[in-house]
Amino acid sequence: MDYKVLDLKVFGDERGSLISLEEGRNLPFAIKRVYYIYDTKPGVERGKHAHKNLQQLIVCLHGSCSFVLDDGAARREVLLNCPDKALYIGNNIWREMKDFSYGAVLMVLASQTYDDKEYIRDYNEFLREIQK
Ligand code: T46
């Protein structure tokens, strides 16, 4: 399944912590878009789609959230609960996000600009797409 959980290097000292995401070093693509998700309401689930052509790196900057990842053959669950952990997701992975803690903030770095046409929002269509 085309996903990875990366342990990011923390530059920490008595002043606090700093993490850098840099193309070619710990970021496997050039960033074309950044978005963030916050103020999620209790019990909500988000995502429930796959992308035909999009790589993303996701960091939970505050709080926690779970990702369910599915490549049509297996399902994995990843808990993001620390800013020094990043979730990389490649193409053709169905994702669902759930269990957002109060005040959770997710930052997402994306390899492409927003294009609604490259989303697959129907699970059966996703299964058909990955058979091709
Ligand atoms: C993903 C997960 C992790 C835009 O106009 N531009 C954008 O760049 C994005 C990401 C969204 N939007 C609009 C489209 C919808 O009207 O914002 C609204 C909410 O988007 P969506 O329902 O797709 O949000 P999530 O949280 O279900 O999914 C998002 C990303 O869309 C998706 O790529 O992998 O976060």
Side-chain angles (χ1 to χ4, degrees), residues 33-37 40 45-51 54 56 58 67 89 93 95-97 100 106 108 110 112-116 118-119 121:
R33 174 167 54 111
V34 178
Y35 61 92
Y36 34 95
I37 296 172
T40 50
E45 296 189 349
R46 303 187 63 115
K48 298 181 191 274
H49 56 248
H51 290 282
L54 185 68
Q56 298 196 111
I58 304 162
F67 274 73
I89 309 180
I93 303 286
R95 83 276 327 260
E96 301 177 2
M97 297 113 85
F100 290 90
L106 283 186
V108 185
Q112 302 296 334
T113 53
Y114 181 71
D115 178 5
D116 190 55
E118 67 81 41
Y119 279 67
R121 295 190 183 273

Side-chain angles (χ1 to χ4, degrees), residues 13-78:
D13 57 30
E14 63 286 352
R15 297 168 301 168
S17 304
L18 182 153
I19 292 174
S20 164
L21 295 169
E22 190 175 329
E23 186 191 337
R25 198 171 279 241
N26 55 0
L27 185 62
F29 53 83
I31 302 169
K32 289 222 177 131
R33 174 167 54 111
V34 178
Y35 61 92
Y36 34 95
I37 296 172
Y38 65 103
D39 195 24
T40 50
K41 307 305 176 205
V44 292
E45 296 189 349
R46 303 187 63 115
K48 298 181 191 274
H49 56 248
H51 290 282
K52 295 179 197 170
N53 178 32
L54 185 68
Q55 301 176 74
Q56 298 196 111
L57 193 81
I58 304 162
V59 180
C60 190
L61 295 177
H62 186 258
S64 61
C65 158
S66 287
F67 274 73
V68 176
L69 303 171
D70 180 338
D71 67 355
R75 282 202 150 212
R76 300 272 183 274
E77 190 161 329
V78 175

